[in-house]
Amino acid sequence: MERLQEETTERLEFYQRLDGVHAAPLWAVLSQLVRPEPRSRCVPHKWDYAGMRSLLMEAGGLITAKEAERRVLVLENPGIRGLSQITQSLYSGLQLILPGEIAPSHRHAAAAMRLIVEGGGGYTAVNGERIPMAPGDFILTPSWTYHDHGNLGDEPVIWLDGLDLPIVNLFDASFAQTYPSGDVQEITRLAGDAQARYGSNMLPPEYVPDNKSSPLFHYPYARVKEALLQIGGADKLDPCHGIKLQYVNPVTGGYPMPTMAAYMQLLTAGFSGRPSRSTDATVYNVCEGAGVTLIGNERIEWSMGDVFIAPSWNTVAHQASERSVLFSFSDRAAQKALGLWREERLND
Amino acid sequence: MERLQEETTERLEFYQRLDGVHAAPLWAVLSQLVRPEPRSRCVPHKWDYAGMRSLLMEAGGLITAKEAERRVLVLENPGIRGLSQITQSLYSGLQLILPGEIAPSHRHAAAAMRLIVEGGGGYTAVNGERIPMAPGDFILTPSWTYHDHGNLGDEPVIWLDGLDLPIVNLFDASFAQTYPSGDVQEITRLAGDAQARYGSNMLPPEYVPDNKSSPLFHYPYARVKEALLQIGGADKLDPCHGIKLQYVNPVTGGYPMPTMAAYMQLLTAGFSGRPSRSTDATVYNVCEGAGVTLIGNERIEWSMGDVFIAPSWNTVAHQASERSVLFSFSDRAAQKALGLWREERLND
Amino acid sequence: MERLQEETTERLEFYQRLDGVHAAPLWAVLSQLVRPEPRSRCVPHKWDYAGMRSLLMEAGGLITAKEAERRVLVLENPGIRGLSQITQSLYSGLQLILPGEIAPSHRHAAAAMRLIVEGGGGYTAVNGERIPMAPGDFILTPSWTYHDHGNLGDEPVIWLDGLDLPIVNLFDASFAQTYPSGDVQEITRLAGDAQARYGSNMLPPEYVPDNKSSPLFHYPYARVKEALLQIGGADKLDPCHGIKLQYVNPVTGGYPMPTMAAYMQLLTAGFSGRPSRSTDATVYNVCEGAGVTLIGNERIEWSMGDVFIAPSWNTVAHQASERSVLFSFSDRAAQKALGLWREERLND
Amino acid sequence: MERLQEETTERLEFYQRLDGVHAAPLWAVLSQLVRPEPRSRCVPHKWDYAGMRSLLMEAGGLITAKEAERRVLVLENPGIRGLSQITQSLYSGLQLILPGEIAPSHRHAAAAMRLIVEGGGGYTAVNGERIPMAPGDFILTPSWTYHDHGNLGDEPVIWLDGLDLPIVNLFDASFAQTYPSGDVQEITRLAGDAQARYGSNMLPPEYVPDNKSSPLFHYPYARVKEALLQIGGADKLDPCHGIKLQYVNPVTGGYPMPTMAAYMQLLTAGFSGRPSRSTDATVYNVCEGAGVTLIGNERIEWSMGDVFIAPSWNTVAHQASERSVLFSFSDRAAQKALGLWREERLND
């Protein structure tokens, strides 16, 4: 794929006429369009939680959840500012709900996941059920499901949002609606209903799903951590990832939503991971512990609450100074559905 | 499909010559071969637990688990004796292990499920993990997995076995092996390992199963009952089935094994169910409570521990005098895979 | 799995009491019930076409197609007579329709396939389309589809039927109906409609099947043979099977019906195949050529029109004296769906 | 989703500090980010074939296929210039190969499809097989398969390319390689091999694909047109689409490649279609005939060879002045895999 050395006057004049009919010469852009390897415009970056929390609380004083509709500080990758993107394909933000507030009910084509960072007393309502949120809990609000949030406690509730908005918008497939009868959806199911119905390794007989997303919207931290500890006591650690599990849709065993994958991993104190890389740029949130992750040439020091991002095809190697638990999410579900995903373990 | 009124001498002589070349006239058997509706040779029947327990304990004195290899009283449908079949397609039996005994390790093409009826201290070892068994627990030993049983407690342990032996034998696909190095398989995983790895609504990242069966072998009664009660407190009851859930393979959301489906259902006190029927003959075990089930023209009274069978296409209507929990299993998984299953709710 | 040396009087008396409650001691039958390897009661056998044709024509004089409903000579495996079974799980027969005759329209739960052996002018009507039948053509009439046959030509039409009747009857799932408005279903589609709609590597946009069977009912011999010859000119032959293709459901790429698989294979003149064996007992029909197949200890010589059967787990090795084409069918689809199928190539 | 009426100085200063930490206030962009309905930046447009052909031939004199690597005029949607995109998610171009030329062999993550517009004698080599190309033929070169093109005839060969480059690049998953041993891949299969092996409603026994794309790379126009005419003679036309079929992967019955769907539709002379719209922006190429398509508020007149594009969620209504055949492709495969696709028929 050779760069063209020179463009003759003849060609340049030709290109102008092409432009006039909304065409362009492929050979002039081929090498940028079809790269031998991913070279993302995104860069590794960390948002320090203490700092972001402070800004969030300040936002809490500047605008109400109702006026904002969603009081969120969008995390923009420094390499691609101004697009509300943390990676090329994903959106992420930190959301705050103060005691007594409501984020009004709506639904949209974009799928969303939330990882609770701080605070009890918050809830997300989905599908007529109010899901209590505790730190480390993983909550889904799948595509086109009405959802609203509230805080019935007395402390601020903060969580990390992840949405596939850039994917939806690439496909020009965005739809959205506010809930037709008020800010708060009608509650028709008891808390824990979905867990009983779908999350207990049982399903209703002859259950036929009507969409591609998990009907289980709540994955409590306590259960996940227990599972990680159980495995961690038995397995030798994966040399790159420590002990890692992925959230699944119990109806299919597949990803919880068609576009996004999510994981929880445990790194033992002193863990020093081998580098690996994959095409799914990944957003991490630190649930417990402290350590360092080497991403490409960057060294990201992290501790509880921090959010950091590893771009596509950047090498990633984790080191934990104390026992740590990292949540992460990426577009791996979409990449695998579309036949695009690759992973490499290095120095094997 | 008319019965042929008369067979001429000419035809009868012709049939003899056919027989000599291992052929036969279809028109003479068509109406028996292709029935307009299922008319099973199986009949409804109940095995009273008190009586069977007594016989089991007697067997315990007559033969050791080791000599028997499996000390089981096979339940044979009164309509098809001598074939080790409780329905046309399924085998079932009650197995006893006494304290200190071992049922030696082996594996076979037939898939097996077990529902614990009585006793703590028993275990089933599968895939290198020892699974503790408590009453109401549902345990799988899938096709071709080495399994052995033991009783480390001080009371007898009794469970109900269900196997797809008649299906395996119809297809002439029976294989079996004893464990190569002793009566007891090597334990390589801690108890609860499969639950942590596969049963927590998580899976190992990039997990690819190498067979069609659930990697989760243990479904504890406590969790299932909790789920049924949770749903029971919310839903209006299914008019035929009460509150019912099916056991699933968490890797696929499908049946736990390719041939057999299994269910747990809760009937509230005073429940009087509408009749329904389906092509999957079903075996029931009473985990809790008491009641009556009308099967075809039979009236089966049942209480805790009893086993009863509803043949294919017989109407079934449950009535519970007290709150009851019924386990059941059938060949529905096979029938659905082969496009044969039907269900009807009657008096709709 | 030791045979029990002796049964004490005590045990024998106990077994009698078990029998009285419809139970039986597993340990007395375990070794017959759970075999280490398949040991089918079926045996290898060939039905010589010339002889069978003669008997068929005789049947043609003895009974009309209408009176018989289906004028078929059922091929019964010599090892399991009287059950209308050619293998444990499959039914097969040779059917004759004389010029002007009709086999009236009906439908049943059992799935059927037909391989035309002799005669033009015959048709099978399925799903409102009349499918012309020529020798070597493969025709499906899936579960619960109305089908009828006729002969608009001036020569007898003979074909080989294969049905999963024993499977349907094992599951007690037999249903059947005659066509509600006459012997001949209403024709609503032009001949070749399914081929255009489903068989051209295209499908109607957003096509959603409502059952598990191929919507393409006709696989003409000419196309299949052309494909075999094309591949045969390129590939080195499979050492066991020569050049072999399986019929597929174009909507899924899977088997044409959920229970039965079907194949066409080409053996070059002088082909001497290596032995292999598999758990799916297989029925063969010779479309072209002549040769010998060694099945277990039997030596089956065959030529055009002959039907022969290889039982489960019997070694099979084909030898062709001239270029030959063999059709075959088996229950492999069911075995694979149920996780039971195995294959071995020997002398590797 | 109210627009914020005013931003206070306080907020603006706060937003600046957010910007400094690579964050942004969601509430300031929410209504652009999450639209109630798709409002694509793309516009309807037609590239007139006569004009484009003339420019292509001129390009043929200005640059060799070898220097260009691919001598393609990229069609850029007038609404999103400079991005090599015909829709938000798809790339398309017109490619020319002159007699004797070669487009050298390479492979890339992006999947490609080609619809031949003009000229015989061209070939595409994929997977060791040289596929002859004739007008109206549909050719795939799936993700990561080596492909090269050549023209062994004596006339120019022109085709329409469609690639999922924007999708691959959104996910930062681009990989590419030149063929390691020369411009032209080694030919290891006879022409027609894939058709025989995979395209005849048969498959090799036990065939297991190793990727998500069709192994059949060539869908000749003659077969597709024959199928459309056959159906067209039988069916009443779809009120929106006429007679339409989609290309399928014979191994799965699904889309030919995981990201892109492709269709051929026949409109009878005088066809006046009802409007419909869908979220998959679609590129059309006119294989035969002439007519008008109303897209949104635009009126696109087309005739043979023309290329036109209908953006996401724009109403589309076709009218044919003479019998016409339209090829089209879109990202529907990706949208459906990701749970994003919607379609509406209007005036129902």
Side-chain angles (χ1 to χ4, degrees):
Chain A
M1 286 180 253
E2 261 181 65
R3 267 298 175 73
L4 303 160
Q5 293 300 82
E6 45 172 298
E7 292 289 29
T8 63
T9 315
E10 213 183 350
R11 286 185 185 180
L12 291 168
E13 187 277 330
F14 176 68
Y15 300 166
Q16 281 219 299
R17 277 183 291 115
L18 286 184
D19 187 76
V21 294
H22 306 291
L26 174 61
W27 53 91
V29 297
L30 185 54
S31 55
Q32 282 107 269
L33 207 54
V34 184
R35 290 190 177 290
E37 266 198 8
R39 205 197 311 174
S40 182
R41 296 188 296 157
C42 296
V43 299
H45 188 71
K46 174 187 80 177
W47 288 267
D48 159 77
Y49 185 62
M52 294 310 300
R53 186 188 191 283
S54 176
L55 289 164
L56 255 180
M57 295 310 297
E58 204 178 332
L62 285 174
I63 189 167
T64 63
K66 194 170 161 72
E67 183 192 350
E69 184 161 358
R70 294 295 188 263
R71 189 202 285 111
V72 177
L73 303 184
V74 181
L75 308 178
E76 300 200 329
N77 191 286
I80 46 172
R81 293 301 311 280
L83 299 170
S84 306
Q85 289 170 202
I86 190 170
T87 75
Q88 289 261 105
S89 63
L90 295 176
Y91 157 103
S92 187
L94 284 163
Q95 181 158 181
L96 164 71
I97 297 221
L98 294 168
E101 285 194 313
I102 280 167
S105 195
H106 64 202
R107 64 179 179 178
H108 40 64
M113 54 170 63
R114 300 109 182 356
L115 197 286
I116 312 310
V117 183
E118 177 182 328
Y123 70 81
T124 293
V126 196
N127 204 31
E129 179 178 343
R130 260 193 193 162
I131 295 163
M133 313 198 297
D137 284 4
F138 175 65
I139 312 274
L140 312 176
T141 59
S143 175
W144 211 241
T145 51
Y146 282 115
H147 52 280
D148 47 274
H149 312 282
N151 185 345
L152 301 174
D154 47 23
E155 42 179 2
V157 173
I158 294 169
W159 66 80
L160 178 72
D161 282 317
L163 278 79
D164 58 6
L165 276 165
I167 298 174
V168 170
N169 288 334
L170 177 86
F171 290 113
D172 271 332
S174 175
F175 293 87
Q177 274 179 0
T178 52
Y179 188 68
S181 44
D183 283 342
V184 173
Q185 63 180 271
E186 188 191 356
I187 297 309
T188 57
R189 300 168 182 276
L190 296 172
D193 185 277
Q195 170 64 32
R197 224 174 275 275
Y198 310 111
S200 310
N201 299 317
M202 314 287 284
L203 285 176
E206 304 313 311
Y207 176 73
V208 177
D210 58 6
N211 66 74
K212 285 173 167 291
S213 296
S214 178
L216 182 66
F217 303 126
H218 185 205
Y219 298 69
Y221 185 58
R223 288 191 61 184
V224 179
K225 186 172 173 189
E226 184 189 338
L228 287 169
L229 288 172
Q230 169 98 26
I231 297 168
D235 274 10
K236 59 194 217 301
L237 306 178
D238 178 290
C240 297
H241 304 304
I243 305 287
K244 194 171 185 181
L245 289 171
Q246 75 187 25
Y247 295 87
V248 299
N249 175 350
V251 177
T252 63
Y255 295 102
M257 293 179 295
T259 48
M260 292 182 285
Y263 305 87
M264 198 69 93
Q265 73 198 108
L266 181 147
L267 310 175
T268 49
F271 177 80
S272 181
R274 289 281 197 76
S276 70
R277 61 182 176 176
S278 58
T279 48
D280 54 325
T282 302
V283 180
Y284 292 84
N285 176 257
V286 185
C287 297
E288 290 186 35
V292 171
T293 299
L294 309 172
I295 306 178
N297 294 323
E298 297 295 320
R299 177 188 165 85
I300 305 273
E301 294 189 20
W302 44 263
S303 60
M304 226 179 112
D306 290 346
V307 177
F308 62 93
I309 177 269
S312 168
W313 214 237
N314 277 224
T315 56
V316 173
H318 301 295
Q319 298 166 5
S321 44
E322 47 190 271
R323 188 179 80 180
S324 303
V325 180
L326 299 180
F327 169 80
S328 60
F329 72 95
S330 79
D331 60 19
R332 189 179 303 188
Q335 289 204 22
K336 293 192 79 182
L338 303 183
L340 294 175
W341 187 67
R342 291 198 196 194
E343 180 188 46
E344 266 186 8
R345 289 167 178 257
L346 304 165
N347 298 331
D348 261 351
Chain B
M1 286 181 255
E2 261 182 62
R3 268 298 176 75
L4 302 161
Q5 296 298 82
E6 45 171 300
E7 292 289 29
T8 63
T9 315
E10 215 184 346
R11 285 186 186 178
L12 291 169
E13 187 277 328
F14 174 68
Y15 299 165
Q16 281 219 298
R17 280 184 288 115
L18 286 184
D19 187 75
V21 294
H22 307 290
L26 174 61
W27 53 90
V29 298
L30 185 54
S31 55
Q32 284 107 270
L33 206 56
V34 183
R35 290 190 175 289
E37 267 197 7
R39 205 196 312 172
S40 183
R41 296 188 297 156
C42 295
V43 297
H45 189 73
K46 173 187 80 177
W47 289 266
D48 160 77
Y49 185 62
M52 294 309 300
R53 187 188 191 283
S54 177
L55 289 164
L56 255 180
M57 294 310 296
E58 205 178 328
L62 286 176
I63 190 166
T64 64
K66 195 170 159 72
E67 182 192 350
E69 183 160 0
R70 295 295 187 263
R71 189 202 286 109
V72 177
L73 303 184
V74 182
L75 307 178
E76 299 199 330
N77 191 287
I80 46 172
R81 293 301 311 281
L83 299 170
S84 305
Q85 289 169 202
I86 192 169
T87 75
Q88 290 260 105
S89 62
L90 296 176
Y91 157 104
S92 187
L94 284 161
Q95 181 158 182
L96 164 70
I97 296 222
L98 293 169
E101 285 194 311
I102 282 168
S105 195
H106 64 203
R107 64 180 179 177
H108 39 64
M113 53 171 63
R114 299 107 182 358
L115 198 286
I116 312 311
V117 183
E118 177 183 329
Y123 68 82
T124 294
V126 196
N127 204 29
E129 181 179 340
R130 259 192 195 165
I131 296 162
M133 312 198 296
D137 285 3
F138 175 65
I139 313 275
L140 312 176
T141 60
S143 176
W144 210 240
T145 51
Y146 282 114
H147 51 281
D148 47 273
H149 311 283
N151 185 344
L152 302 174
D154 47 25
E155 41 178 4
V157 173
I158 295 170
W159 66 79
L160 178 72
D161 282 317
L163 278 79
D164 59 6
L165 276 165
I167 297 174
V168 171
N169 288 333
L170 176 85
F171 290 113
D172 270 330
S174 174
F175 293 87
Q177 274 181 0
T178 53
Y179 187 71
S181 45
D183 284 340
V184 173
Q185 63 180 269
E186 188 191 354
I187 297 310
T188 56
R189 300 168 183 276
L190 297 173
D193 185 277
Q195 169 65 32
R197 224 174 274 274
Y198 310 113
S200 311
N201 298 319
M202 314 288 284
L203 284 177
E206 305 312 310
Y207 177 73
V208 176
D210 59 6
N211 66 76
K212 286 174 168 289
S213 297
S214 177
L216 182 66
F217 304 126
H218 184 205
Y219 298 69
Y221 185 59
R223 288 190 61 184
V224 178
K225 186 173 173 189
E226 183 187 340
L228 287 170
L229 288 171
Q230 168 99 26
I231 297 167
D235 274 11
K236 58 194 217 303
L237 306 177
D238 177 289
C240 297
H241 304 304
I243 305 288
K244 194 170 185 182
L245 290 170
Q246 75 185 26
Y247 295 87
V248 299
N249 176 350
V251 177
T252 63
Y255 296 102
M257 293 179 294
T259 48
M260 292 182 285
Y263 305 87
M264 198 69 93
Q265 72 198 108
L266 182 147
L267 311 175
T268 49
F271 178 80
S272 182
R274 288 278 199 79
S276 69
R277 60 182 177 177
S278 59
T279 48
D280 54 326
T282 303
V283 180
Y284 292 83
N285 177 257
V286 185
C287 298
E288 289 186 37
V292 171
T293 299
L294 308 173
I295 307 178
N297 294 324
E298 298 294 320
R299 178 188 165 84
I300 305 273
E301 295 189 18
W302 44 263
S303 60
M304 227 179 111
D306 289 346
V307 177
F308 62 93
I309 177 267
S312 168
W313 216 238
N314 276 226
T315 56
V316 173
H318 302 294
Q319 301 166 4
S321 44
E322 45 189 275
R323 188 179 81 180
S324 302
V325 180
L326 299 181
F327 169 80
S328 61
F329 71 95
S330 80
D331 59 19
R332 188 179 303 188
Q335 289 203 23
K336 292 193 79 185
L338 303 184
L340 294 175
W341 187 68
R342 291 198 197 195
E343 180 188 47
E344 266 186 8
R345 290 167 178 256
L346 305 165
N347 298 331
D348 260 352
Chain C
M1 285 182 255
E2 262 181 63
R3 268 296 176 75
L4 302 161
Q5 293 298 85
E6 43 172 299
E7 291 289 27
T8 64
T9 315
E10 212 184 349
R11 286 185 185 179
L12 292 168
E13 189 278 330
F14 174 68
Y15 299 165
Q16 282 219 299
R17 279 185 289 116
L18 285 184
D19 187 76
V21 294
H22 307 290
L26 174 60
W27 53 91
V29 296
L30 185 54
S31 55
Q32 282 106 269
L33 207 54
V34 184
R35 291 191 175 288
E37 267 197 8
R39 205 197 312 174
S40 183
R41 295 189 296 156
C42 296
V43 298
H45 188 72
K46 174 189 80 178
W47 289 265
D48 159 77
Y49 185 62
M52 295 308 301
R53 186 188 193 284
S54 177
L55 289 163
L56 256 179
M57 295 311 296
E58 206 179 328
L62 286 174
I63 189 166
T64 64
K66 197 170 159 73
E67 182 193 351
E69 184 160 357
R70 295 294 188 265
R71 188 201 287 110
V72 178
L73 302 185
V74 182
L75 307 179
E76 300 199 330
N77 191 286
I80 45 171
R81 292 302 311 280
L83 299 170
S84 305
Q85 288 169 201
I86 192 170
T87 74
Q88 290 261 104
S89 62
L90 295 176
Y91 157 103
S92 187
L94 284 163
Q95 181 158 182
L96 164 71
I97 296 220
L98 294 169
E101 285 194 312
I102 281 168
S105 196
H106 65 203
R107 64 178 179 179
H108 39 66
M113 53 171 63
R114 299 99 178 13
L115 198 286
I116 312 313
V117 183
E118 177 181 331
Y123 68 81
T124 294
V126 197
N127 203 30
E129 180 179 342
R130 263 196 191 159
I131 296 162
M133 314 198 298
D137 284 4
F138 174 66
I139 313 276
L140 313 176
T141 59
S143 176
W144 210 241
T145 52
Y146 282 114
H147 51 280
D148 48 273
H149 310 282
N151 185 344
L152 301 173
D154 48 24
E155 41 179 4
V157 173
I158 294 171
W159 67 80
L160 178 73
D161 283 316
L163 278 78
D164 58 7
L165 276 165
I167 297 174
V168 171
N169 287 334
L170 177 86
F171 290 114
D172 271 331
S174 175
F175 293 87
Q177 273 181 0
T178 52
Y179 188 70
S181 44
D183 284 342
V184 173
Q185 63 180 269
E186 188 191 355
I187 298 309
T188 57
R189 300 167 183 277
L190 297 173
D193 186 277
Q195 170 64 33
R197 222 174 275 273
Y198 310 112
S200 310
N201 299 318
M202 314 287 283
L203 284 177
E206 305 311 311
Y207 177 73
V208 176
D210 59 5
N211 67 74
K212 285 173 167 290
S213 297
S214 177
L216 181 66
F217 303 126
H218 183 205
Y219 297 70
Y221 185 58
R223 288 191 60 182
V224 178
K225 185 172 173 190
E226 183 188 338
L228 288 169
L229 288 172
Q230 168 97 27
I231 297 167
D235 274 10
K236 56 194 217 306
L237 307 176
D238 178 288
C240 297
H241 305 304
I243 306 289
K244 195 170 185 181
L245 289 171
Q246 74 187 26
Y247 294 87
V248 299
N249 175 350
V251 177
T252 64
Y255 295 102
M257 294 179 294
T259 49
M260 292 184 285
Y263 305 88
M264 198 69 94
Q265 73 198 107
L266 181 146
L267 311 175
T268 48
F271 178 81
S272 182
R274 287 280 197 76
S276 69
R277 61 182 177 177
S278 59
T279 48
D280 54 326
T282 302
V283 180
Y284 292 82
N285 176 257
V286 185
C287 298
E288 288 185 37
V292 171
T293 299
L294 308 172
I295 307 177
N297 295 323
E298 299 293 320
R299 178 187 164 86
I300 304 272
E301 294 189 19
W302 43 263
S303 59
M304 226 178 112
D306 289 346
V307 177
F308 63 94
I309 177 269
S312 168
W313 216 238
N314 276 225
T315 56
V316 174
H318 301 295
Q319 300 165 3
S321 43
E322 46 190 272
R323 188 179 80 181
S324 303
V325 180
L326 299 181
F327 169 79
S328 61
F329 72 95
S330 80
D331 59 19
R332 189 179 302 188
Q335 290 203 23
K336 294 192 79 184
L338 304 183
L340 295 175
W341 187 68
R342 292 197 196 194
E343 180 188 47
E344 267 187 6
R345 288 164 180 258
L346 305 166
N347 297 331
D348 258 351
Chain D
M1 286 181 254
E2 259 180 67
R3 268 297 176 74
L4 304 160
Q5 294 300 84
E6 45 172 297
E7 292 289 29
T8 64
T9 315
E10 213 185 347
R11 286 185 185 178
L12 292 167
E13 188 278 330
F14 175 67
Y15 299 165
Q16 280 219 300
R17 278 184 289 117
L18 287 183
D19 188 75
V21 292
H22 307 290
L26 174 61
W27 55 90
V29 296
L30 185 54
S31 54
Q32 283 105 268
L33 207 54
V34 185
R35 289 189 178 288
E37 266 198 7
R39 204 196 312 174
S40 182
R41 296 189 297 157
C42 296
V43 298
H45 189 72
K46 173 188 80 177
W47 288 266
D48 159 77
Y49 185 62
M52 295 309 300
R53 186 188 193 284
S54 177
L55 289 164
L56 255 180
M57 294 310 296
E58 205 178 327
L62 285 175
I63 188 166
T64 64
K66 196 170 159 75
E67 182 192 352
E69 184 160 358
R70 294 294 188 265
R71 189 201 286 112
V72 177
L73 303 183
V74 182
L75 306 178
E76 299 199 330
N77 191 286
I80 47 172
R81 293 300 312 279
L83 299 169
S84 305
Q85 289 169 200
I86 191 169
T87 74
Q88 289 261 105
S89 64
L90 296 176
Y91 157 102
S92 188
L94 283 163
Q95 182 158 180
L96 164 70
I97 295 218
L98 293 169
E101 284 193 312
I102 280 168
S105 195
H106 65 202
R107 64 178 179 178
H108 40 65
M113 54 171 62
R114 300 106 179 3
L115 197 286
I116 312 311
V117 182
E118 177 183 330
Y123 69 81
T124 294
V126 196
N127 204 30
E129 181 178 341
R130 262 196 191 160
I131 296 162
M133 315 199 296
D137 284 6
F138 175 65
I139 313 274
L140 313 175
T141 60
S143 177
W144 212 240
T145 52
Y146 282 114
H147 51 279
D148 47 272
H149 311 282
N151 184 345
L152 302 175
D154 46 25
E155 44 179 1
V157 172
I158 295 170
W159 66 80
L160 178 72
D161 282 318
L163 277 79
D164 58 6
L165 276 164
I167 298 174
V168 171
N169 288 333
L170 177 85
F171 290 114
D172 270 332
S174 174
F175 293 87
Q177 273 180 359
T178 52
Y179 188 69
S181 44
D183 284 341
V184 172
Q185 64 180 268
E186 187 190 356
I187 297 310
T188 56
R189 301 168 183 276
L190 296 172
D193 185 276
Q195 169 65 33
R197 223 174 274 273
Y198 310 112
S200 310
N201 299 317
M202 313 287 284
L203 285 176
E206 306 311 310
Y207 177 73
V208 176
D210 58 6
N211 66 75
K212 285 173 168 289
S213 297
S214 177
L216 182 65
F217 303 126
H218 183 205
Y219 297 70
Y221 184 59
R223 288 190 62 182
V224 177
K225 186 172 174 190
E226 183 188 340
L228 287 169
L229 288 172
Q230 169 98 25
I231 297 168
D235 274 10
K236 57 193 216 306
L237 306 177
D238 178 289
C240 297
H241 304 305
I243 305 288
K244 195 170 185 181
L245 289 171
Q246 74 185 26
Y247 295 86
V248 300
N249 175 350
V251 178
T252 63
Y255 296 101
M257 294 180 292
T259 48
M260 292 182 284
Y263 305 86
M264 197 69 93
Q265 73 198 108
L266 182 146
L267 311 175
T268 49
F271 178 80
S272 181
R274 288 281 198 77
S276 70
R277 60 182 177 178
S278 59
T279 49
D280 54 325
T282 302
V283 180
Y284 292 83
N285 176 257
V286 185
C287 299
E288 289 186 36
V292 171
T293 298
L294 308 171
I295 306 177
N297 294 324
E298 298 293 322
R299 177 188 166 84
I300 305 272
E301 294 189 21
W302 44 262
S303 59
M304 226 178 112
D306 290 346
V307 177
F308 62 94
I309 179 267
S312 169
W313 214 237
N314 277 225
T315 56
V316 173
H318 301 294
Q319 299 165 5
S321 44
E322 46 189 273
R323 188 179 81 179
S324 303
V325 180
L326 299 180
F327 169 80
S328 60
F329 72 95
S330 79
D331 60 18
R332 188 179 303 186
Q335 290 203 23
K336 293 193 79 183
L338 303 182
L340 294 176
W341 186 68
R342 292 198 194 192
E343 179 188 46
E344 266 186 7
R345 288 165 179 258
L346 305 165
N347 298 330
D348 260 351

